[in-house]
Amino acid sequence: MAQVICFLIYVLCAYAVIMHLGHDLVHQGHSLLGHTVSYFMVFRANVSYQRYWLGRTNVTDFFLTIRDLMSWLCIMLEGGEATRRQRWWREKGRMTRAQFTEMMDAHDYYCSESRANIVRWCVAFAVTFKMYIRMAADGYINEAITPATKWALEFDRARLRGLLSPSEFHVVDNTLGFQDKSNDAESLWMNYTKNVAIDNYIDEIARDPERDTTDGDGMYNMDPTPRARPPVILVYYLHEELFRNLNDARLLDKPYGFKERFGAFFTQKLFHVLTLYDLVNQTICTPTPLPYVNMCRTLLAVYLLLTPFSIQLDLGWYANTVVPTLVAVSLLGLDQISTELENPFGDDPNDLDMLDEVGMVEHEAMFLLQMCGDKLAREHYVWKPMPEFVQAQSARPLPCYLAIRSQVDPTGPGPVLFDKYPIRKPVAVEHLIESSGDEEDGTDGGS
């Protein structure tokens, strides 16, 4: 707005001066320059619009794949007798919780534990994806983030801590590259078992989410050194859980898991998710070429400064002052729109609402556990109230976020994440191989 007002004053002064001189200046060249500037500005706007929709498409595809992966895994894990009856006997009515618990065997417990792990890692994957695009441009390229971004990321760290075990969070958190200048974060993150401190720390952030605890420069440094990023680590955990429940086609050593032939399908899903993450990272780290942007803005400034050369006194004051101002508004607006659209990731009002996407994944994850009848896995999760300063960053109401009950318990975490599951016993693979060999020998002899 200030640029438009200054340009209007400039045009009015130029018009007054030319009226005083009593003759027009040369204006043909100015019109030719205007066509050239318009072409370059429109081309830049088209490129920015394509980048915006490329980012939007990749983000939508990313969360769609996460949902699809959770849905398939909740279905494909066979479990035991209780799981099969709860899932497939819907026309006969759902079993009560007491009936389901009484019928559960070891396979049901193994399957439920795997679902609980898959859900928390998928949600944590979505949270780390949001964290990465929040700080990638400023943190890993410019090597510094603002206080507002810093404290928003601190809440994301607390949110992530509620979904991971202390050892898992330690691995993931060390890859973020934070260089804290104060003891604010150290009081919480140096001790990963102080769950009381997590809630207190979130309350402290909420009281002043833009406070500056730096040494006076107003920025928090980030370590841009190449390292494994959190989304890659979460994909590793998901791959590990898939392999843990892979039922060998010959040995049948994990009857509660999914068939071996489906392993490639899930691996392709995870590879597709990693591909989308890398495409989003490519969009963030490969902005519109700076020389081209500088050329457009230089030509635009020259065109606006040469406006007096297009004034024709016989056209009157309206055509010589108001019309050039409207042309300036359109060109300056195109430049601003291009700047807003070329990077749709971040916390600006025009950026993609990632908080809403993460919240949808959380609610859908709990709904999937409910649909497959895994009440035991569902009971390990709890909803925590969302701070108001985080809710203000989303266009939709986000009253709560998901966490594991044992990790946000004020009394402190237990020795394991899910205390209701028995420890898995090792499978005697050698015995299975010998039994399989004996059966093959018997079959051959009988024929």
Side-chain angles (χ1 to χ4, degrees):
M1 188 63 182
Q3 295 174 336
V4 175
I5 295 176
C6 291
F7 179 77
L8 178 59
I9 295 174
Y10 172 70
V11 171
L12 289 173
C13 294
Y15 181 70
V17 171
I18 293 176
M19 285 187 63
H20 178 72
L21 294 176
H23 60 84
D24 299 339
L25 301 178
V26 180
H27 57 84
Q28 288 83 1
H30 186 267
S31 300
L32 180 61
L33 178 61
H35 294 309
T36 304
V37 171
S38 299
Y39 174 81
F40 282 121
M41 297 300 295
V42 171
F43 179 78
R44 185 194 169 200
N46 288 333
V47 171
S48 298
Y49 186 73
Q50 292 174 1
R51 287 171 56 86
Y52 178 86
W53 275 108
L54 177 63
R56 178 62 185 174
T57 301
N58 290 333
V59 168
T60 302
D61 197 4
F62 173 87
F63 285 101
L64 179 62
T65 307
I66 289 290
R67 296 184 182 99
D68 193 37
L69 180 65
M70 287 193 301
S71 177
W72 274 110
L73 287 173
C74 286
I75 294 174
M76 298 300 293
L77 290 174
E78 292 287 343
E81 183 65 22
T83 301
R84 286 190 288 271
R85 290 197 178 189
Q86 179 78 352
R87 183 187 302 170
W88 304 121
W89 288 18
R90 293 178 182 173
E91 67 278 3
K92 298 182 180 180
R94 291 278 190 178
M95 292 185 293
T96 64
R97 177 58 194 277
Q99 293 173 335
F100 183 80
T101 305
E102 183 180 357
M103 191 177 295
M104 287 185 69
D105 55 18
H107 292 172
D108 290 308
Y109 282 107
Y110 296 161
C111 177
S112 181
E113 181 186 17
S114 295
R115 286 199 194 99
N117 280 326
I118 289 168
V119 164
R120 71 185 180 91
W121 279 326
C122 285
V123 175
F125 191 10
V127 173
T128 56
F129 182 71
K130 164 62 179 170
M131 293 178 65
Y132 183 79
I133 66 175
R134 188 197 293 271
M135 62 182 174
D138 293 332
Y140 296 139
I141 298 178
N142 300 327
E143 303 182 16
I145 56 177
T146 62
T149 302
K150 170 66 163 58
W151 299 117
L153 289 170
E154 288 294 344
F155 169 74
D156 290 336
R157 292 167 84 179
R159 188 176 187 176
L160 198 61
R161 175 62 187 87
L163 294 167
L164 304 176
S165 67
S167 59
E168 292 168 350
F169 177 78
H170 180 73
V171 173
V172 174
D173 190 62
N174 282 343
T175 63
L176 292 175
F178 280 105
Q179 295 181 351
D180 296 315
K181 295 183 179 181
S182 65
N183 295 326
D184 290 334
E186 294 180 4
S187 63
L188 172 64
W189 308 120
M190 292 304 291
N191 189 343
Y192 300 101
T193 61
K194 291 182 178 179
N195 289 336
V196 176
I198 292 179
D199 289 336
N200 294 339
Y201 195 64
I202 292 176
D203 294 338
E204 182 182 351
I205 296 172
R207 283 194 295 270
D208 187 8
E210 296 186 5
R211 68 185 186 278
D212 185 1
T213 58
T214 63
D215 296 335
D217 56 359
M219 300 295 288
Y220 291 88
N221 294 332
M222 296 287 294
D223 183 8
T225 304
R227 65 183 73 192
R229 297 304 178 192
V232 178
I233 298 174
L234 268 300
V235 168
Y236 171 81
Y237 285 142
L238 284 168
H239 270 122
E240 197 173 48
E241 190 66 27
L242 290 177
F243 183 78
R244 191 185 185 196
N245 294 275
L246 189 65
N247 190 16
D248 190 279
R250 179 170 175 264
L251 301 178
L252 299 178
D253 54 338
K254 300 181 181 68
Y256 54 86
F258 56 86
K259 300 294 190 297
E260 183 182 12
R261 61 178 177 270
F262 296 112
F265 171 76
F266 293 123
T267 302
Q268 291 174 359
K269 287 285 185 182
L270 289 175
F271 175 76
H272 184 57
V273 170
L274 270 182
T275 302
L276 294 171
Y277 156 72
D278 198 53
L279 288 175
V280 170
N281 179 62
Q282 176 180 306
T283 302
I284 297 174
C285 299
T286 312
T288 304
L290 183 61
Y292 181 78
V293 176
N294 290 338
M295 182 187 69
C296 290
R297 291 179 173 175
T298 301
L299 290 176
L300 176 59
V302 172
Y303 173 77
L304 297 179
L305 289 175
L306 296 179
T307 300
F309 290 93
S310 65
I311 293 178
Q312 302 179 54
L313 294 176
D314 57 339
L315 296 179
W317 68 273
Y318 180 83
N320 290 307
T321 58
V322 177
V323 172
T325 303
L326 294 177
V327 172
V329 169
S330 62
L331 293 176
L332 291 172
L334 274 178
D335 179 70
Q336 189 62 33
I337 291 172
S338 301
T339 303
E340 290 290 332
L341 292 181
E342 66 184 4
N343 184 11
F345 307 107
D347 295 320
D348 295 333
N350 292 324
D351 291 333
L352 300 177
D353 191 355
M354 302 293 294
L355 285 171
D356 176 54
E357 295 286 354
V358 175
M360 289 293 294
V361 169
E362 290 178 331
H363 286 81
E364 289 165 354
M366 296 298 98
F367 182 76
L368 289 174
L369 291 179
Q370 177 183 347
M371 286 297 295
C372 67
D374 199 340
K375 299 178 182 179
L376 186 59
R378 175 64 183 85
E379 290 177 356
H380 286 96
Y381 290 90
V382 64
W383 293 104
K384 300 286 290 181
M386 184 78 75
E388 292 184 1
F389 82 94
V390 179
Q391 296 186 45
Q393 299 173 10
S394 176
R396 295 187 182 182
L398 298 174
C400 53
Y401 66 95
L402 196 64
I404 298 176
R405 190 182 302 274
S406 64
Q407 299 307 300
V408 295
D409 187 355
T411 60
V416 293
L417 283 172
F418 310 118
D419 54 0
K420 297 181 181 179
Y421 296 128
I423 300 176
R424 298 196 185 192
K425 297 180 180 180
V427 180
V429 179
E430 295 82 0
H431 176 70
L432 290 173
I433 294 176
E434 293 176 1
S435 301
S436 177
D438 294 340
E439 292 176 0
E440 292 177 359
D441 294 340
T443 303
D444 294 340
S447 60

